[in-house]
């Protein structure tokens, strides 16, 4: 597709560059944080974390409170922002991992570089383009570098392009990574201050593992968090109540998030010094909801807050897919506006930014999203032209059965429906009146269930065939009864039973066959393998369960 668009877009670029009376196109900086929950900021009601610069963005811009990403985890969410396509259209069902894990989930090893992206469109319209920070749209042998997707320059992790640094050699790499990403962004802005530029500024924080520096941690030395703090929603209070050491976990999490906020403040100040504030549109969101501490390396990262919303990362309930939608552009986007009614999706990002930049989106791109530039500039909220859709074909972390809905989801107007691929097991929620998804009203509104089920199934038929989908569709019906908490496992005994050759280590072929989620098993092995020697010691195996 990308080759077919080059000529027409080149003509558009020439027209925009050489028009004598053409006003300056806005710079765009897209800040995408990693695993930040809908309640993880002071302005969003978090009782402990200090985020004066995120609060500043809300004061100086617009907060879209019903902003939805297109997936429950990293790679598919990023795919939608880049392409305006639902990630299932590219068979990106989960995060990109190693080739074996990708194949097990019927996934490619990277996003197809021939797909037209927002940076492609902007670059051909005269923008300087850059990507700094996390990539996670494909890496490893054979994967294209970010430059293949429309970027002039990049410095990243999780890619085959130029690297931001070496996390393996620097113990505080992740803690200092936001500062490095902001440094690169500021440098790029300085170098291109006389022409329009676009930057993906995608942070690593607050994704696990978190290890703030002593200086960052000192800010929260006296923190005494309460799991039952009324500032948290009902779902979050229950979850925090089960945490092993909430004080330590929350200190580490808040310290990491406050440094991210500090670095964003440094970016805002630099734009002011460069005289670029009024010419720069800033968009901030997160790729999905907060991590779960039941995941092996996420004890500290797993205490992010979904606010009043239900569930977390990997779940299609609100807490997994509803994130910040902050937009600042002084003089163009209303300041201090809190937009409660508009339903905004990540798939809308490409057509909206393209419209603001004066770039036509070619029809053959077949965007799933809508141009919401008028809404961003202050127009009142109106119903979407098309519903928003999701599909999740993997498991949900943790022991909470009430975090795992059926695998198809649609948001249409006030209604949000879950259903399986056979059209059964429907759950229906009135989101404006029940954002915490406490009351399933499917039995009270059979007409709505019928209409939205038809929409969900019709949408699923537009997706490319996938063995992963076939497997999920063939499973037994989803059970709505809450699951009982898992009993504690005797991990040393399990290790001894799995260690078939009795060499005191578990190789992959000894570990993987025992995993319930075979798709995630290779990545799970790698997470447990702390010293990266390709095998698990008993200590590594036992600690992974603590």
């Amino acid at each position: 597709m990308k080759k077919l668009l080059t000529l027409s877009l080149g003509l558009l670029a020439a027209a925009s560059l050489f028009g004598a009376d053409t006003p300056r196109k806005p710079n765009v900086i897209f800040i995408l944080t990693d695993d930040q929950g809908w309640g993880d900021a002071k302005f969003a009601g978090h009782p402990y974390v200090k985020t004066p610069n995120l609060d500043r963005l809300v004061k100086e811009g617009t907060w879209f409170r019903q902003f939805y990403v297109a997936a429950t985890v990293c790679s598919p969410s990023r795919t939608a922002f880049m392409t305006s396509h639902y990630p299932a259209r590219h068979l990106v069902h989960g995060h990109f991992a190693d080739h074996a894990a990708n194949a097990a989930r019927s996934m490619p090893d990277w996003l197809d570089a021939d797909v037209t992206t927002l940076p492609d469109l902007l670059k051909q319209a005269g923008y300087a383009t850059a990507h700094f920070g996390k990539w996670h749209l494909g890496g490893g042998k054979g994967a294209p570098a970010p430059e293949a997707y429309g970027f002039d320059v990049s410095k990243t992790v999780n890619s085959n392009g130029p690297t931001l640094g070496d996390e393996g050699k620097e113990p505080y790499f992740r803690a200092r990574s936001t500062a490095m990403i902001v440094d690169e962004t500021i440098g790029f802005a300085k170098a291109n201050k006389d022409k329009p530029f676009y930057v993906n500024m995608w942070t690593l924080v607050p994704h696990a593992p978190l290890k703030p520096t002593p200086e960052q941690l000192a800010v929260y030395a006296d923190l005494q968090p309460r799991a039952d703090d009324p500032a948290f929603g009902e779902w979050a209070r229950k979850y925090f109540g089960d945490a092993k050491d909430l004080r330590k976990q929350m200190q580490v999490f808040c310290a990491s998030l406050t440094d991210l906020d500090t670095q964003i403040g440094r970016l805002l100040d630099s734009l002011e010094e460069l005289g670029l504030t009024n010419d720069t549109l800033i968009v901030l969101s997160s790729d999905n909801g907060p991590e779960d501490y039941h995941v092996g390396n996420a004890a500290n990262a797993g205490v992010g807050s979904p606010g009043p919303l239900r569930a977390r990362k990997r779940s299609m309930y609100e807490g997994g897919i509803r994130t910040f939608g902050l937009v600042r552009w002084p003089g163009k986007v209303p300041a201090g506006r809190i937009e409660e009614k508009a339903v905004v999706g990540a798939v809308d990002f490409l057509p909206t930014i393209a419209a603001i930049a004066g770039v036509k989106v070619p029809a053959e791109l077949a965007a799933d999203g809508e141009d919401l530039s008028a809404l961003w500039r202050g127009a009142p909220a109106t119903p979407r032209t098309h519903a928003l859709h999701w599909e999740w074909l993997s498991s949900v972390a943790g022991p909470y059965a009430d975090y795992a809905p059926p695998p198809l989801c649609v948001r249409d107007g006030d209604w949000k429906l879950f259903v399986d691929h056979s059209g059964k097991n429907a759950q229906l929620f009135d989101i404006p009146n029940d954002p915490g998804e406490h009351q399933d009203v499917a039995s009270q509104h059979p007409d709505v269930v019928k209409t939205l089920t038809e929409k969900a199934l019709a949408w699923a038929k537009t997706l490319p065939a996938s063995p992963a989908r076939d497997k999920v569709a063939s499973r037994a019906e989803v059970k709505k009864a809450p699951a009982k908490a898992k009993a504690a496992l005797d991990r040393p005994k399990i290790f001894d039973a799995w260690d078939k050759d009795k060499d005191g280590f578990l190789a992959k072929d000894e570990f993987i066959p025992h995993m319930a989620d075979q798709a995630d098993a290779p990545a799970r092995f790698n997470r447990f393998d702390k010293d990266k020697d390709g095998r698990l010691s008993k200590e590594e195996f036992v600690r992974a369960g603590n």
Side-chain angles (χ1 to χ4, degrees):
M1 180 185 290
K2 193 174 292 188
K3 293 179 180 178
L4 296 175
L5 300 178
T6 301
L7 179 59
S8 62
L9 287 172
L11 293 174
L12 285 170
S16 65
L17 284 173
F18 297 111
D21 298 324
T22 302
R24 177 188 170 103
K25 295 176 181 291
N27 309 312
V28 180
I29 298 177
F30 175 32
I31 304 172
L32 189 65
T33 64
D34 202 343
D35 294 357
Q36 185 176 8
W38 194 79
D40 284 330
K42 192 70 174 179
F43 73 81
H46 198 290
Y48 308 123
V49 73
K50 300 176 177 67
T51 56
N53 295 293
L54 295 185
D55 302 348
R56 174 183 169 187
L57 285 178
V58 174
K59 182 179 179 181
E60 298 176 356
T62 293
W63 177 16
F64 293 102
R65 284 172 56 89
Q66 294 196 71
F67 186 96
Y68 290 92
V69 291
T72 69
V73 297
C74 176
S75 302
S77 179
R78 294 161 196 267
T79 294
F81 278 115
M82 289 278 283
T83 65
S84 189
H85 295 158
Y86 292 113
R89 299 206 188 284
H90 301 284
L91 300 176
V92 184
H93 303 307
H95 70 283
F96 285 113
D98 60 41
H99 296 342
N102 294 335
R105 293 170 294 163
S106 309
M107 284 177 53
D109 289 318
W110 51 78
L111 177 64
D112 185 355
D114 283 337
V115 173
T116 299
T117 65
L118 176 61
D120 282 325
L121 298 176
L122 295 178
K123 182 176 180 178
Q124 294 183 74
Y127 273 72
T129 57
H131 184 105
F132 301 124
K134 187 169 184 177
W135 177 245
H136 217 168
L137 289 172
K141 185 177 180 180
E147 283 73 8
Y149 298 84
F151 295 103
D152 295 317
V153 297
S154 69
K155 280 195 177 179
T156 61
V157 297
N158 301 106
S159 88
N160 275 2
T163 60
L164 186 68
D166 190 341
E167 188 166 9
K169 293 182 179 179
E170 169 53 60
Y172 290 112
F173 174 82
R174 187 170 293 263
R176 293 171 175 147
S177 63
T178 311
M180 291 187 278
I181 294 166
V182 168
D183 285 344
E184 295 293 339
T185 303
I186 293 172
F188 189 77
K190 288 180 178 178
N192 294 280
K193 63 185 181 68
D194 296 324
K195 64 182 296 188
F197 60 80
Y198 173 88
V199 179
N200 272 351
M201 198 187 104
W202 291 4
T203 73
L204 279 62
V205 172
H207 190 288
L210 296 179
K211 185 182 178 182
T213 66
E215 295 80 9
Q216 294 167 356
L217 201 54
V219 176
Y220 292 94
D222 298 326
L223 179 63
Q224 297 289 341
R226 291 171 45 202
D228 63 349
D229 194 305
F232 297 125
E234 181 180 334
W235 296 104
R237 291 196 298 271
K238 179 181 183 298
Y239 172 85
F240 289 145
D242 294 336
K244 290 186 176 181
D245 187 348
L246 183 62
R247 180 173 184 266
K248 180 180 178 181
Q249 291 169 279
M250 193 65 77
Q251 285 175 316
V252 170
F253 181 82
C254 288
S256 301
L257 198 53
T258 291
D259 180 73
L260 181 149
D261 181 87
T262 298
Q263 303 309 324
I264 289 175
R266 196 160 59 84
L267 171 66
L268 300 180
D269 292 343
S270 294
L271 291 174
E272 188 69 32
E273 293 168 6
L274 293 169
L276 295 176
T277 296
N278 292 341
D279 295 322
T280 303
L281 169 64
I282 293 178
V283 181
L284 184 143
S285 187
S286 174
D287 60 343
N288 44 250
E291 182 57 279
D292 192 300
Y293 53 59
H294 294 95
V295 173
N297 68 344
N300 301 321
V303 293
S305 171
L309 308 180
R310 179 176 180 173
R312 313 179 70 78
K313 180 178 178 179
R314 301 178 190 84
S315 175
M316 293 188 297
Y317 288 121
E318 294 286 281
I321 58 174
R322 188 163 162 178
T323 65
F324 294 145
L326 307 186
V327 181
R328 189 192 81 162
W329 187 13
K332 304 295 193 302
V333 169
R337 178 188 183 192
I338 298 178
E339 174 50 63
E340 301 273 5
K341 296 180 180 180
V343 177
V344 182
V347 290
D348 303 324
F349 183 70
L350 182 153
T352 300
I353 295 296
I356 289 172
V359 177
K360 183 178 179 181
V361 178
E364 55 265 45
L365 187 143
D368 284 314
E370 303 174 15
D371 170 13
L372 299 183
S373 57
L375 173 72
W376 285 26
R377 290 176 183 268
T382 56
R384 296 185 60 84
T385 304
H386 302 291
L388 292 175
H389 292 273
W390 294 264
E391 179 185 58
W392 180 239
L393 302 179
S394 296
S395 59
V396 176
Y400 306 115
D402 45 16
Y403 281 13
L408 288 175
C409 177
V410 56
R411 174 72 196 270
D412 193 17
D414 291 346
W415 298 109
K416 183 179 177 188
L417 177 97
F418 297 97
V419 71
D420 63 27
H421 289 85
S422 68
K424 298 179 180 179
N425 295 302
Q427 298 177 18
L428 182 69
F429 298 94
D430 178 355
I431 295 301
N433 293 309
D434 182 22
E437 294 168 299
H438 295 285
Q439 301 296 324
D440 176 1
V441 295
S443 63
Q444 301 170 35
H445 299 278
D447 53 336
V448 177
V449 170
K450 181 177 183 296
T451 298
L452 294 192
T453 296
E454 290 172 351
K455 287 190 176 185
L457 298 181
W459 174 77
K461 288 181 180 179
T462 70
L463 303 176
S466 169
R469 182 178 304 109
D470 296 340
K471 182 178 180 181
V472 169
S474 67
R475 288 176 185 165
E477 293 185 352
V478 176
K479 295 182 179 180
K480 295 186 179 181
K484 295 181 179 179
K486 295 180 180 178
L489 300 176
D490 186 343
R491 295 184 71 85
K493 185 176 180 180
I494 293 172
F495 181 93
D496 292 337
W498 291 2
D499 183 17
K500 297 301 184 183
D501 59 8
K502 304 303 178 186
D503 65 346
F505 295 92
L506 292 183
K508 276 191 176 182
D509 59 1
E510 292 173 313
F511 174 86
I512 289 177
H514 298 282
M515 296 295 101
D517 187 347
Q518 287 287 293
D520 185 55
R524 188 178 182 89
F525 181 92
N526 292 335
R527 291 196 298 268
F528 289 4
D529 182 17
K530 298 300 184 183
D531 60 7
K532 305 304 178 187
D533 64 349
R535 57 184 185 173
L536 300 183
S537 66
K538 180 179 280 190
E539 180 181 12
E540 288 174 322
F541 181 79
V542 171
R543 281 186 176 181
N546 294 331

